[in-house]
Amino acid sequence: LQEWNQRRALLAELYDQEFAEKGLEEVKPVTRATNSVSFPHLYVIRVKGRKPSAGSAQRNERRNSLIAFLGAKGIETGIHYEHPLHLQPAFRRFGDERGDFPNAEIACDEILSLPMHPFLSRDKVHRVVNTTAKFFRSSR
């Protein structure tokens, strides 16, 4: 387990470095706390999309297009937190509605999990980052 955790930390740092080198304005890796040790089971980025107006349905077409592009290249992605807490069925009783917590809604609309597991190779991380960069270069 320690080896796997160390490998995940190394891969997260590699993703961070490679995304920083690409300088993609459209992609922002979700940061980890600097005063703690992190062994990420997910590597999450935020894909900037349009800012929805209050009360509108969240839809980040840029993120959805990136998901399709990466999928066509054999790169699996995931959206692990599609809905913010206040819109989850378990919290309906509190009466919160879309637009009540706009930052949480925007975050859920932007996040995308990239491949992350302890057996992921450095070359695969490089491929994921390069393919993501290719998508944004072609969509500008």
Side-chain angles (χ1 to χ4, degrees), residues 46 58 81-87 98 100-111:
R46 288 182 70 162
Q58 307 282 52
Y81 304 102
E82 190 169 356
H83 305 287
L85 284 177
H86 69 285
L87 298 179
R98 185 169 297 285
D100 287 348
F101 296 93
N103 290 335
E105 292 170 30
I106 290 168
C108 286
D109 194 46
E110 291 179 348
I111 59 172

Side-chain angles (χ1 to χ4, degrees), residues 109-121:
D109 194 46
E110 291 179 348
I111 59 172
L112 179 64
S113 297
L114 299 178
M116 171 57 85
H117 55 82
F119 308 106
L120 192 64
S121 71

Side-chain angles (χ1 to χ4, degrees), residues 67-109:
I67 291 168
F69 184 82
L70 293 174
K73 305 289 186 193
I75 299 170
E76 291 186 38
T77 58
I79 301 173
H80 288 86
Y81 304 102
E82 190 169 356
H83 305 287
L85 284 177
H86 69 285
L87 298 179
Q88 295 288 345
F91 294 98
R92 263 194 206 123
R93 64 190 162 131
F94 296 113
D96 296 317
E97 297 179 9
R98 185 169 297 285
D100 287 348
F101 296 93
N103 290 335
E105 292 170 30
I106 290 168
C108 286
D109 194 46

Side-chain angles (χ1 to χ4, degrees), residues 16-88:
D16 289 346
Q17 291 169 0
E18 294 225 5
F19 275 119
E21 288 172 11
K22 294 292 180 201
L24 298 173
E25 293 177 15
E26 303 90 345
V27 172
K28 181 177 182 189
V30 173
T31 57
R32 294 170 302 283
T34 56
N35 59 345
S36 68
V37 177
S38 177
F39 305 117
H41 73 286
L42 300 173
Y43 186 81
V44 182
I45 60 173
R46 288 182 70 162
V47 180
K48 291 183 186 177
R50 67 176 177 76
K51 292 199 180 204
S53 59
S56 71
Q58 307 282 52
R59 295 198 58 212
N60 185 337
E61 293 302 326
R62 181 184 274 171
R63 180 187 66 181
N64 295 343
S65 296
L66 175 59
I67 291 168
F69 184 82
L70 293 174
K73 305 289 186 193
I75 299 170
E76 291 186 38
T77 58
I79 301 173
H80 288 86
Y81 304 102
E82 190 169 356
H83 305 287
L85 284 177
H86 69 285
L87 298 179
Q88 295 288 345

